[in-house]
């Protein structure tokens, strides 16, 4: 029987079988960020376990840094000890840090692919659940906790149990106004937030093959929101074109050798999956979440669900979500007044995302009552967008153009949606209080978020 | 790591689905210079406290006898969301030793085993019955979670078996540190790395 993409990477990284279904897995790349990176390094060192392979470890601050225009490390003082600790511990062991103000700094799941640190066929971990993002380039990537971080720092390995395999195949062409964000939100809406628990997911089908590399990163980014830690897309020419020439990608003869290896990675035609799910792209419309879980999602032209008509086991959760969100069942979600718009996060802050949003914004102005932020994912993306004039498109439309970081996705840098206010956000979580205590979040694509800023209300991008 | 063998006590029914790690601990608390041990007062702060900072009497953790419960009962997908291990530290800080739910967020589940907090997976009907038995005799009902024998004993004395990986059970019963175990395999790791350096040199540039 053939092997899946996942099996091939997994099997080739097993150092030894530990029994009871566990193996010791080699980790090719460890990415650190300011929330947990410096602390984990310090803890490992204090326990007597300095980094065993410092050259396979890379770091950047993103979570607690202010994204205020002209920011420094002092703009948000609570982040200062974290970045200082990260600086001290990485420099002591020769770990490359893409520091604040330097080229390469950015959201860890944006800068990894951008720098060519994320490569097909690699195992990559980070102390952040959205590490699944890197699977978009054919890496086996997953988020880990602090204790596991210390383990990887000390040994460059992880004790892991092999998950089951799921394949989600998107067949057909993207309809107008639909993006990778809509594809994955639609899938989560169909399967629920726990369908992937215990699985690794491979995204396949003509709808995925046609996606550019950055869109594949978005697709894999939200895999964790359906319970799976890893999402992957098989590497192909799209992947290689994206990676070719990036700073940390191999060059010359080494590049050719790497590509030859990567071409062996895609799932064999007779590979079997434990679970298969097929989505007809004709059914994927622009999505918007209405509740407090990513599975609380509908097409933007639909009505807000009625808990009385939903599945019995979800009734209580739906009622609580509507109460928190201040929404009435049965009413169209389109036209719901919006106070904030946030375009950014590891889900949707890449140059293609900013271009898609700018296309909607160009020549228009945001609604007066809306505060709209654009937070590019990295220093490079910011520079690239400015070279194209996207920053002016946004600022002329009344949006704020900010510095790279996680910002209002999780509000750990003090940037919050005020209590009770409604936000359309390109980020990944609409949990209670995620964007600040009492904040009401609706997840959507960059174009949908831009449309909401212009209209001052949840809007259907297809009508813009 | 802290050892875990058995816990007996009140089980607080937090009967909701998808209790995410943002709900368990707000991210700002992990930015502030709070120690792991000091996170307890901030656990579940969004449901334990009203916006004015006073306790919300509707929250199960503010009600007698659940205030000091060492066990939480919950619905599907407990601990989903962010990878923050602070969620486990906060639960431990508020005195929680075990959480019983139908299934758990994967990273959270791993984090629990790294910190001596036991996640117990039971079918939802068993958990609902445990919650009912707790509520039927408030004040003296107790639940036991026994890792040695892999069973939960209900307030009425029913024994409910649960499954746990043998490797994890052994580590938790003995408070073993994963790193020390892996370090004993350093030769195998180095041999793998040497061979990989010739197979995939681009990883090691």
């Amino acid at each position: 029987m053939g092997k899946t993409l996942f099996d091939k990477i997994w099997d080739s990284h097993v150092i030894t079988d530990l029994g009871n279904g566990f193996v010791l897995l080699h980790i090719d790349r460890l990415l650190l960020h300011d929330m947990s990176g410096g602390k984990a390094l310090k803890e490992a060192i204090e326990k007597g376990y300095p980094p065993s392979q410092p050259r396979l470890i890379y770091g950047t601050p993103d979570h607690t840094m202010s994204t205020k225009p002209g920011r420094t490390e002092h703009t948000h003082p609570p982040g200062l000890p974290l970045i200082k600790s990260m600086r001290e511990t990485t420099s002591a062991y020769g770990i490359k840090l893409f520091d604040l103000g330097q080229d390469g700094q950015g959201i860890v799941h944006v800068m990894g692919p951008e720098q060519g640190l994320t490569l097909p066929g690699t195992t990559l971990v980070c102390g952040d659940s959205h590490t699944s993002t890197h699977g978009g380039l054919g890496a086996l990537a997953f988020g880990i906790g602090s204790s596991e971080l210390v383990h990887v720092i000390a040994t460059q390995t992880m004790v892991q149990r092999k998950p089951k395999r799921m394949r989600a195949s998107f067949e057909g062409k993207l309809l107008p106004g639909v993006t990778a964000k809509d594809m994955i939100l639609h899938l989560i809406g169909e399967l629920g937030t726990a369908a992937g628990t215990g699985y690794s997911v491979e995204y396949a089908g003509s709808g995925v093959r046609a996606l550019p590399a950055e869109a594949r990163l978005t697709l894999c980014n939200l895999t964790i929101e359906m319970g799976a830690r890893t999402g992957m897309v098989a590497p192909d020419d799209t992947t290689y074109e994206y990676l070719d020439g990036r700073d940390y990608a191999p060059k010359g003869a080494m590049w050719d050798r790497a590509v030859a290896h990567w071409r062996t990675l895609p799932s064999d035609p007779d590979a079997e999956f434990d679970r298969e799910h097929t989505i007809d792209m004709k059914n994927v419309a622009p999505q918007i979440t209405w509740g407090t879980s990513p599975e609380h999602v509908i097409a933007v032209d639909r009505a807000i669900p009625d808990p009385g008509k939903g599945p019995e086991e979800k009734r209580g959760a739906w009622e609580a979500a509507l109460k928190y969100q201040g929404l009435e069942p049965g009413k169209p979600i389109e036209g719901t007044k919006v106070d904030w718009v946030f375009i950014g996060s590891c889900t949707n802050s890449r140059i293609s995302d900013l271009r898609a949003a700018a296309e909607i914004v160009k020549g228009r102005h945001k609604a007066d009552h809306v505060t709209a932020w654009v937070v590019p994912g990295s220093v490079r993306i910011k520079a690239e967008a400015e070279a194209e004039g996207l920053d002016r498109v946004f600022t002329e439309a009344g949006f704020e153009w900010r510095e790279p970081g996680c910002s209002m996705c999780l509000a750990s840098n003090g940037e919050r949606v005020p209590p009770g206010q409604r936000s359309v956000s390109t980020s990944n979580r609409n949990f209670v209080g995620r964007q600040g205590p009492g904040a009401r979040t609706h997840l959507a694509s960059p174009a949908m978020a831009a449309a909401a800023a212009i209209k001052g209300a949840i809007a259907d991008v297809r009508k813009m | 790591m802290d050892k875990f063998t058995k816990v007996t006590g009140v089980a607080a029914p937090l009967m909701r689905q998808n209790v995410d790690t943002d709900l368990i601990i707000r991210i700002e608390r992990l930015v502030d210079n709070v120690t792991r041990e000091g996170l307890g007062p901030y656990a579940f702060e969004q449901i334990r406290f009203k916006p004015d900072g006073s306790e919300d009497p509707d929250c199960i953790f503010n009600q007698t006898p659940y205030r000091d419960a060492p066990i939480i009962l919950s619905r599907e997908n407990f601990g989903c969301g962010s990878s923050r291990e602070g969620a486990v530290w906060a639960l431990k800080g508020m005195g929680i030793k075990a959480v019983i739910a139908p299934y758990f967020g994967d990273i959270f589940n791993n984090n629990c085993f790294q910190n001596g907090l036991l996640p117990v997976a039971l079918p939802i009907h068993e958990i609902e019955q445990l919650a009912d038995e707790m509520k039927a005799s408030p004040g003296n009902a107790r639940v036991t979670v026994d890792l040695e024998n892999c069973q939960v004993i209900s307030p009425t004395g029913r024994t409910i078996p649960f499954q746990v990986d043998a490797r994890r059970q052994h580590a938790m019963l003995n408070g073993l540190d994963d790193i020390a175990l892996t370090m004993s395999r350093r030769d195998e790791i180095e041999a793998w790395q040497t061979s990989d350096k010739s197979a995939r040199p681009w990883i090691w540039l």
Side-chain angles (χ1 to χ4, degrees):
Chain A
M1 194 180 72
K3 281 186 170 187
T4 68
L5 164 67
F6 171 82
D7 291 322
K8 291 180 191 184
I9 305 178
W10 177 277
D11 293 352
S12 69
H13 284 81
V14 171
I15 295 166
T16 189
D17 192 328
L18 300 171
N20 299 312
F22 286 87
V23 301
L24 190 64
L25 202 66
H26 191 264
I27 300 301
D28 300 333
R29 296 280 183 268
L30 169 62
L31 301 182
L32 302 174
H33 61 76
D34 49 321
M35 271 299 293
S36 52
K39 280 186 203 166
L41 267 172
K42 196 160 170 249
E43 190 183 331
I45 294 158
E46 281 170 3
K47 283 187 168 169
Y49 302 124
S52 76
Q53 297 290 338
R55 291 184 62 193
L56 301 185
I57 309 177
Y58 298 84
T60 191
D62 57 7
H63 279 60
T64 65
M65 302 299 112
S66 168
T67 65
K68 194 177 176 186
R71 61 106 187 268
T72 68
E73 63 196 46
H74 299 283
T75 310
H76 182 59
L80 197 54
L82 293 171
I83 190 159
K84 281 188 170 163
S85 141
M86 198 176 187
R87 240 172 236 155
E88 284 161 17
T89 47
T90 51
S91 88
Y93 289 90
I95 292 167
K96 170 69 183 171
L97 176 68
F98 299 89
D99 205 346
L100 211 61
Q102 293 179 356
D103 179 37
Q105 184 268 332
I107 305 175
V108 68
H109 309 312
V110 174
M111 62 71 68
E114 167 191 286
Q115 296 293 322
L117 291 167
T118 309
L119 296 172
T122 52
T123 48
L124 183 153
V125 298
C126 173
D128 186 283
S129 61
H130 291 102
T131 307
S132 58
T133 310
H134 306 262
L137 295 178
L140 170 52
F142 50 93
I144 60 178
S146 304
S147 300
E148 290 176 318
L149 263 178
V150 175
H151 189 281
V152 178
I153 290 165
T155 68
Q156 205 59 38
T157 69
M158 283 195 69
V159 177
Q160 284 290 294
R161 204 162 73 148
K162 196 170 184 173
K164 288 184 281 188
R165 288 138 302 195
M166 183 195 300
R167 179 160 58 188
S169 302
F170 289 85
E171 299 296 350
K173 283 190 177 156
L174 283 174
L175 294 175
V178 176
T179 68
K181 179 70 163 286
D182 302 298
M183 290 164 70
I184 186 66
L185 282 174
H186 173 89
L187 183 68
I188 296 166
E190 234 174 65
L191 299 185
T193 43
T197 304
Y199 286 89
S200 67
V201 181
E202 179 175 344
Y203 299 103
S206 55
V208 172
R209 294 262 69 82
L211 290 179
E214 293 192 352
R216 295 176 183 184
L217 296 168
T218 301
L219 192 65
C220 291
N221 172 274
L222 280 159
T223 308
I224 184 76
E225 310 310 338
M226 56 188 247
R229 288 168 86 185
T230 67
M232 316 170 78
V233 175
D236 58 11
D237 287 341
T238 302
T239 317
Y240 312 140
E241 278 162 30
Y242 174 85
L243 282 171
D244 194 5
R246 298 206 175 250
D247 290 22
Y248 289 83
K251 307 275 181 331
M254 191 68 89
W255 168 260
D256 296 337
R257 204 175 149 188
V259 172
H261 172 74
W262 298 339
R263 288 196 192 281
T264 68
L265 293 174
S267 296
D268 297 327
D270 59 341
E272 280 184 21
F273 290 81
D274 300 291
R275 184 172 174 181
E276 293 260 14
H277 195 79
T278 303
I279 305 95
D280 187 336
M281 293 288 288
K282 283 204 291 289
N283 299 326
V284 187
Q287 304 284 302
I288 184 105
T289 61
W290 54 267
T292 54
S293 160
E295 74 179 22
H296 296 160
V297 66
I298 49 172
V300 66
D301 55 4
R302 296 291 169 84
I304 297 161
D306 181 349
K309 293 176 185 162
E312 200 187 330
E313 71 278 8
K314 306 232 175 197
R315 202 162 286 172
W318 283 18
E319 279 168 3
L322 289 176
K323 189 178 170 212
Y324 180 82
Q325 292 284 76
L327 293 174
E328 275 177 53
K331 284 179 73 173
I333 197 157
E334 198 182 341
T336 305
K337 191 178 165 231
V338 165
D339 311 294
W340 279 82
V341 164
F342 168 64
I343 296 172
S345 89
C346 59
T347 312
N348 279 131
S349 65
R350 298 177 184 84
I351 190 70
S352 51
D353 298 314
L354 305 189
R355 286 177 189 145
E359 202 172 304
I360 300 293
V361 169
K362 194 164 187 162
R364 296 177 164 130
H365 201 277
K366 72 166 181 72
D368 288 343
H369 66 274
V370 173
T371 307
W373 284 14
V374 183
V375 183
S378 73
V379 167
R380 283 216 186 162
I381 291 166
K382 182 166 183 260
E384 200 176 350
E386 287 172 356
E388 290 178 20
L390 301 185
D391 58 325
R392 288 192 303 280
V393 171
F394 288 119
T395 52
E396 281 164 15
F399 287 58
E400 263 194 60
W401 177 248
R402 299 178 67 93
E403 302 287 346
C406 298
S407 185
M408 214 175 257
C409 172
L410 77 169
S412 53
N413 64 346
E415 292 166 4
R416 295 171 167 183
V417 173
Q421 293 210 358
R422 189 176 303 285
S423 155
V424 173
S425 176
T426 66
S427 49
N428 38 53
R429 286 185 175 141
N430 51 344
F431 295 160
V432 167
R434 171 77 175 183
Q435 290 196 283
R440 294 164 166 168
T441 302
H442 297 265
L443 305 176
S445 74
M448 285 279 289
I454 304 297
K455 294 282 185 191
I458 292 174
D460 188 338
V461 69
R462 293 168 298 189
K463 297 178 187 165
M464 298 296 284
Chain B
M1 189 180 77
D2 295 346
K3 282 186 189 180
F4 181 103
T5 48
K6 189 191 270 193
V7 61
T8 296
V10 172
L14 179 68
M15 298 301 280
R16 52 200 279 170
Q17 295 167 333
N18 300 321
V19 172
D20 59 74
T21 55
D22 273 79
L23 189 72
I24 300 172
I25 189 77
R26 287 196 60 77
I27 192 83
E28 297 97 303
R29 303 305 178 192
L30 306 175
V31 179
D32 299 345
N33 218 3
V34 178
T35 61
R36 288 183 185 193
E37 296 71 26
L39 289 171
Y42 304 111
F44 293 111
E45 65 180 291
Q46 295 186 87
I47 53 173
R48 273 165 81 193
F49 304 106
K50 294 179 181 172
D52 66 6
S54 65
E55 279 192 358
D56 184 341
D58 289 344
C59 178
I60 194 86
F61 299 119
N62 294 329
Q63 298 166 8
T64 308
Y66 304 115
R67 189 183 286 276
D68 301 315
I71 302 166
I72 291 177
L73 305 173
S74 194
R75 291 190 183 275
E76 294 83 355
N77 211 22
F78 188 96
C80 61
S82 164
S83 62
R84 64 190 70 159
E85 200 158 318
V88 176
W89 303 334
L91 289 172
K92 286 196 75 179
M94 69 181 280
I96 302 299
K97 304 277 195 295
V99 181
I100 304 176
Y103 52 86
F104 297 86
D106 201 22
I107 307 175
F108 175 84
N109 195 58
N110 288 346
N111 288 341
C112 284
F113 282 102
Q114 300 284 349
N115 289 278
L117 189 148
L118 187 66
V120 178
L122 288 184
I124 186 64
H125 69 88
E126 294 285 10
I127 297 169
E128 282 171 345
Q129 203 174 332
L130 282 171
D132 290 345
E133 287 178 29
M134 280 304 307
K135 285 176 184 162
S137 50
N140 49 25
R142 296 283 180 278
V143 170
T144 294
V145 177
D146 175 356
L147 179 60
E148 245 164 350
N149 299 301
C150 290
Q151 61 184 23
V152 171
I153 303 166
S154 86
T156 58
R158 290 182 306 121
T159 58
I160 312 157
F162 64 86
Q163 290 192 324
V164 61
D165 294 313
R167 181 190 163 83
R168 285 178 162 157
Q169 180 193 22
H170 178 75
M172 206 144 170
L173 287 171
N174 297 287
L176 294 179
D177 179 348
D178 253 359
I179 300 179
L181 289 170
T182 301
M183 279 296 188
S184 69
R185 297 180 177 273
R186 193 181 270 169
D187 291 351
E188 284 170 88
I189 297 169
E190 284 173 5
W192 188 95
Q193 289 173 335
T194 303
S195 140
D196 192 60
K197 279 173 189 166
S198 48
R200 297 185 312 152
W202 58 88
I203 297 299
W204 301 87
L205 293 175

